[in-house]
Amino acid sequence: MSETYEGGCFCGAVQITVTGDAVAMGYCHCASCRSWAAAPVNAFTLWKPDAVKVTRGESELGIYHKTEKSYRRFCRACGGHVFTVHPGLGVTDVYAATIPSYRFVPALHVNYAESVLPMRDGLPKMKDMPKAMGGSGETCRE
């Protein structure tokens, strides 16, 4: 049986669960993620969409999409970021901080060519995205 982990927005009005294991975890350095997160890097956990469930406060979820690639969901009450749906990739990015009981084990950095915070952690640094996700598959030096 798969483990279920609970999380939610900053004020708790929106609650979610994720079940099983993330399909990928890492750090995104793209300008969009940095701006949305108001941080120099965004820690992501990618899940199959059916593994992510809103268990409370669905009516409080707002949505913003600058492009059709990413539908960012946030709590209307506190503004807390909850997750981003990436329809073209078939995954939902639940921000690592949203599910504090899930062990975050990053495997790579994506969009590292846009980095403003060098991170020397020995993980692969993808210039953009892995080939399997439509990127060049090229890496950057650490």
Side-chain angles (χ1 to χ4, degrees):
M1 185 159 163
S2 295
E3 292 270 342
T4 296
Y5 304 89
E6 297 178 351
C9 67
F10 188 62
C11 73
V14 176
Q15 294 291 306
I16 66 164
T17 61
V18 292
T19 303
D21 288 309
V23 296
M25 290 186 267
Y27 300 104
C28 184
H29 296 263
C30 80
S32 289
C33 282
R34 291 193 329 263
S35 182
W36 179 252
V41 66
N42 182 55
F44 65 82
T45 64
L46 301 181
W47 303 80
K48 291 292 182 189
D50 61 354
V52 180
K53 303 279 187 242
V54 177
T55 58
R56 184 173 74 209
E58 188 151 8
S59 64
E60 290 295 326
L61 273 177
I63 188 167
Y64 176 76
H65 57 98
K66 187 175 185 178
T67 72
E68 296 302 313
K69 292 181 179 182
S70 302
Y71 290 77
R72 299 173 190 276
R73 305 301 305 265
F74 61 92
C75 174
R76 294 176 205 257
C78 69
H81 302 171
V82 184
F83 59 88
T84 297
V85 176
H86 297 289
L89 299 175
V91 294
T92 298
D93 173 5
V94 179
Y95 311 119
T98 301
I99 43 175
S101 63
Y102 189 72
R103 186 169 177 256
F104 179 65
V105 183
L108 77 164
H109 293 259
V110 297
N111 299 302
Y112 200 72
E114 298 180 45
S115 180
V116 297
L117 178 68
M119 297 175 73
R120 290 171 177 75
D121 56 11
L123 296 176
K125 311 292 191 284
M126 306 303 300
K127 175 184 172 186
D128 44 38
M129 299 289 275
K131 277 188 178 180
M133 297 181 84
S136 69
E138 295 177 33
T139 57
C140 296
R141 292 179 59 185
E142 189 167 68

